[in-house]
Amino acid sequence: MTVQAKGKFEVICLNSDGSVAWVDEFENGNTVPGLKAMLNTFFNNAAVITTWFIGLISDTNYSAPTINDTMLSKPWTEFQDYSGGNRPSWGQLAADGSVSAFVQNTTYPEITITSGGTIRGLFIVSSPIKGGTAGTLYSTGLFPSPRTVVTGQTLQVGYITTLLP
């Protein structure tokens, strides 16, 4: 049997008054470093990465995530104009009984925009450092088209990984 790990990002953008500006959902692409971390943890007793973080991609010219993307060689620019000194953490749950949706957010992290701009997509990484190139890049995903955000908006970001036989 072949098993495929797939995931999707769910993003809700709220205006400063709490009204919904837009909602989007899109699939991710896993990376070799992320898949290696998963396999090495399970089969080779590697250290477990216990906390993952969500980052924002701002480069509107970035059009195709690849399995070989890494944080050190990432072909995009990171959007960093949001509150907090670090990337928000992603609070994953344990696998459920069906293993059909084995990892998801316990809550949607909120990212408050401090300066307007364009967001092209998101990524999951093991490092909390905004703009940093360290850490294991697990996955990337792009909005169907770039999204504009303005000061005071809040992004609620969800991520779900599923296993498909």
Side-chain angles (χ1 to χ4, degrees):
M1 173 177 20
T2 301
V3 176
Q4 180 183 13
K6 291 191 68 151
K8 66 178 177 178
F9 288 99
E10 299 171 334
V11 182
I12 302 168
C13 180
L14 301 174
N15 293 314
S16 58
D17 65 2
S19 63
V20 175
W22 50 265
V23 176
D24 220 328
E25 186 176 290
F26 51 95
E27 291 187 359
N28 76 298
N30 291 323
T31 67
V32 168
L35 295 172
K36 281 183 178 179
M38 190 182 337
L39 292 172
N40 283 330
T41 300
F42 190 80
F43 293 110
N44 291 320
N45 202 28
V48 175
I49 299 171
T50 58
T51 308
W52 292 92
F53 302 89
I54 295 173
L56 306 175
I57 297 169
S58 67
D59 189 348
T60 57
N61 294 321
Y62 179 59
S63 61
T66 73
I67 195 162
N68 293 312
D69 287 346
T70 69
M71 287 307 294
L72 190 57
S73 67
K74 62 182 173 52
W76 71 80
T77 303
E78 183 174 349
F79 184 89
Q80 300 177 51
D81 295 329
Y82 57 89
S83 60
N86 290 319
R87 297 173 181 134
S89 62
W90 167 49
Q92 59 272 25
L93 295 172
D96 68 12
S98 69
V99 193
S100 62
F102 82 97
V103 181
Q104 63 185 24
N105 290 68
T106 53
T107 59
Y108 278 35
E110 292 193 350
I111 302 170
T112 302
I113 305 301
T114 58
S115 182
T118 302
I119 298 174
R120 181 67 180 115
L122 297 107
F123 61 95
I124 303 285
V125 65
S126 65
S127 171
I129 309 302
K130 278 186 192 177
T133 58
T136 300
L137 178 63
Y138 175 69
S139 70
T140 58
L142 300 179
F143 289 106
S145 60
R147 289 295 198 163
T148 300
V149 291
V150 298
T151 303
Q153 286 182 322
T154 299
L155 301 179
Q156 294 179 335
V157 180
Y159 179 76
I160 297 173
T161 295
T162 56
L163 289 179
L164 304 172

